[in-house]
Amino acid sequence: MKNFTIYLVILVFLFVSKVLGQESFESKARKIANKIEKITKEEKATLKEEVEAVNVQLSEGKITQEQADKRKKELAEARAVIIEEKVTLAQNELNDLVQQKVDGKIKEQDSINKHTLVIHWNDRDWEKRHKDSIRGERRTTSQFVFAMGLNNTMVDGKLQDSNYSFMGSHFYEWGFTYNSRLMKNDNLLHAKYGLSLMYNNIRPTDNRSFAVDGDQTNLETNAINLEESRFRNVYLVAPVHLEFDFSKPKESNGKTYFRTHKSFRFGVGGYAGINVKSKQILKFDDNDYKSTQKTKGDFNTNNFIYGLSSYIGYKELSLYLKYDLNPLFQDNLIKENNISLGLRLDLN
């Protein structure tokens, strides 16, 4: 709950600073966001090279198709762990930045200085130097994506909020996307695609946790009193959306330049990927000692994930909904599908 509150504060501060024009906090947050985007891009490129090497071994007959698939999954899991570790360090920087903002250590004078107006009267050299900065965005741009909110499951169209804590179950997502304008002379339609790391957490109610019984994974009541019971799944996914952007074009020197994320927008699409980690975390008192038990395994969860997602918002901030089309557990008699609702931030 503490981490959820910190991330919510980050989103609120970014949104408020954008509205009020206080760029000092936002610019620092953007630098950290760019760092996370760079990490994801570099690790994705490395993963691509490693997968290509496996494909070469397969084509040369050195390994079988089954061995190749197993190796690719291991490589994806390893890269996901590396991304998680590096991004966690950047998240700590975000947490420190938010705390500085709360403590008032980031002065408003920084924002005032950034908004100082300097008039260049008939300065052709200045115009030449800044020509590229006023030309608008390119046809394809990239964004860092961060999303968070509430997470739960559904069975036959009914939310399972009695099985899992409604406010205590969360999801997080970060990654990067490319945004390509589909029509040359119209800014409405965009293709949005990229790579994300998704964390889906559910917290069972009534002192229960998951137990594996053959091919079934059931919620069972614990003999000891649990302070916390949490089940986490981490996915590496490729989201694809068709985005409708109502940002108005900009006119400059008789030319029209198209921009993105300047007005209302919404997107519809989906995602597909692999499960890179499943973990159950139990916290309890053991003879007056605080104990934490972490269990990693497949828990009979689906190795692959695919689903539908959509978002609607204004500028960088939007309301985000995603729903898994395949069930959380492969062979459970009761099919539970994950559903998430929260806020999404797309930073150019």
Side-chain angles (χ1 to χ4, degrees):
M1 191 66 183
K2 181 179 178 182
N3 288 339
F4 179 80
T5 303
I6 291 174
Y7 297 143
L8 183 60
V9 170
I10 292 172
L11 287 176
V12 172
F13 268 127
L14 286 172
F15 181 70
V16 172
S17 62
K18 185 67 179 178
V19 173
L20 299 180
Q22 297 176 354
E23 296 179 354
S24 178
F25 176 81
E26 182 182 355
S27 63
K28 292 179 180 180
R30 282 181 184 275
K31 289 181 181 178
I32 299 175
N34 290 336
K35 181 188 296 185
I36 296 176
E37 179 183 358
K38 182 180 179 182
I39 291 171
T40 310
K41 284 183 177 180
E42 289 177 348
E43 294 302 327
K44 180 188 175 185
T46 303
L47 176 60
K48 183 178 180 181
E49 292 176 359
E50 292 173 337
V51 170
E52 288 176 352
V54 173
N55 290 333
V56 171
Q57 289 181 315
L58 178 62
S59 63
E60 293 176 350
K62 296 180 179 179
I63 57 176
T64 65
Q65 183 66 54
E66 182 180 354
Q67 290 174 323
D69 292 340
K70 181 180 179 181
R71 180 57 180 157
K72 289 177 184 178
K73 183 179 179 182
E74 291 174 347
L75 291 171
E77 291 176 351
R79 286 296 152 193
V81 171
I82 293 173
I83 291 173
E84 179 182 359
E85 292 175 348
K86 290 184 177 180
V87 169
T88 297
L89 296 176
Q91 278 185 301
N92 292 336
E93 292 184 39
L94 274 175
N95 296 344
D96 292 340
L97 182 63
V98 172
Q99 191 61 51
Q100 290 179 40
K101 183 71 174 178
V102 173
D103 295 341
K105 294 180 180 180
I106 299 179
K107 304 298 183 182
E108 298 303 324
Q109 184 64 36
D110 295 339
S111 298
I112 296 175
N113 291 339
K114 287 196 173 188
H115 289 277
T116 302
L117 178 63
V118 180
I119 299 176
H120 296 264
W121 187 264
N122 199 26
D123 189 342
R124 295 186 180 276
D125 290 336
W126 180 90
E127 181 180 347
K128 182 178 180 180
R129 289 196 306 270
H130 293 77
K131 185 177 180 180
D132 291 339
S133 66
I134 62 173
R135 63 176 180 166
E137 293 190 3
R138 295 166 296 179
R139 188 162 178 173
T140 295
T141 59
S142 62
Q143 293 84 37
F144 167 74
V145 175
F146 178 73
M148 58 169 292
L150 302 177
N151 192 68
N152 218 295
T153 67
M154 297 189 74
V155 175
D156 296 329
K158 295 180 180 180
L159 191 68
Q160 301 300 292
D161 53 343
S162 61
N163 283 334
Y164 310 110
S165 171
F166 181 75
M167 294 301 296
S169 300
H170 310 133
F171 85 93
Y172 308 96
E173 177 183 344
W174 56 75
F176 72 95
T177 61
Y178 289 104
N179 188 337
S180 298
R181 192 173 76 252
L182 296 180
M183 292 179 285
K184 183 178 181 180
N185 297 314
D186 191 282
N187 197 44
L188 181 62
L189 296 179
H190 295 254
K192 201 172 180 74
Y193 48 94
L195 189 70
S196 287
L197 205 59
M198 288 183 179
Y199 287 70
N200 292 340
N201 295 277
I202 50 177
R203 282 183 165 86
T205 57
D206 301 327
N207 203 53
R208 293 177 295 174
S209 61
F210 285 104
V212 177
D213 181 13
D215 62 354
Q216 300 294 298
T217 303
N218 305 314
L219 277 177
E220 296 184 357
T221 303
N222 281 267
I224 59 175
N225 183 45
L226 298 176
E227 291 186 358
E228 180 181 350
S229 174
R230 176 158 44 106
F231 186 59
R232 172 190 292 170
N233 285 280
V234 183
Y235 302 95
L236 184 65
V237 301
V240 179
H241 293 92
L242 177 64
E243 183 173 283
F244 297 80
D245 194 325
F246 295 91
S247 300
K248 293 182 179 179
K250 180 181 179 181
E251 300 287 340
S252 178
N253 297 324
K255 295 183 179 180
T256 301
Y257 300 101
F258 297 102
R259 302 176 297 172
T260 63
H261 300 77
K262 301 297 182 182
S263 185
F264 289 99
R265 58 190 180 86
F266 69 90
V268 291
Y271 51 91
I274 60 173
N275 184 329
V276 296
K277 182 169 62 176
S278 294
K279 179 195 298 185
Q280 181 164 255
I281 303 170
L282 304 178
K283 295 183 179 181
F284 52 91
D285 285 332
D286 184 9
N287 295 324
D288 295 326
Y289 289 95
K290 299 289 184 180
S291 299
T292 300
Q293 176 184 312
K294 298 181 180 180
T295 306
K296 295 181 181 179
D298 62 15
F299 287 89
N300 294 321
T301 57
N302 266 306
N303 294 324
F304 300 95
I305 182 178
Y306 57 92
L308 301 175
S309 57
S310 63
Y311 53 88
I312 181 170
Y314 181 70
K315 293 188 176 180
E316 290 94 345
L317 191 64
S318 57
L319 187 66
Y320 184 36
L321 174 68
K322 60 187 182 75
Y323 177 74
D324 292 357
L325 293 177
N326 60 330
L328 176 59
F329 300 105
Q330 296 183 64
D331 302 311
N332 270 17
L333 297 178
I334 298 177
K335 304 299 182 182
E336 295 183 76
N337 296 69
N338 198 86
I339 186 170
S340 307
L341 176 66
L343 296 176
R344 174 184 171 119
L345 191 66
D346 293 69
L347 290 174
N348 275 307

